[in-house]
Amino acid sequence: MIDEYYDYNDDDYGTNYGEYEGSYAQDIEGYSEDVINDAFDGDPDAYWNID
């Protein structure tokens, strides 16, 4: 679904990789940029704090 107000496509969520390439959260754990930005406030080193 495309939200025309924000110009955001829900189908693309979780499919973006590369910005945090080289981080443990992305390379080993497999978190996407969207998840790192939303769940970890853009800090891939904060991955360890989730259960």
Side-chain angles (χ1 to χ4, degrees):
M1 176 178 133
I2 296 177
D3 185 336
E4 294 180 19
Y5 180 76
Y6 292 105
D7 193 28
Y8 178 79
N9 188 343
D10 288 339
D11 296 332
D12 290 339
Y13 187 87
T15 62
N16 299 313
Y17 294 88
E19 182 179 345
Y20 300 110
E21 186 175 5
S23 69
Y24 185 88
Q26 191 162 80
D27 292 351
I28 306 301
E29 294 295 325
Y31 294 119
S32 70
E33 292 172 11
D34 296 320
V35 172
I36 292 171
N37 286 330
D38 290 345
F40 309 135
D41 291 328
D43 182 5
D45 292 330
Y47 74 90
W48 60 270
N49 197 22
I50 61 169
D51 291 322

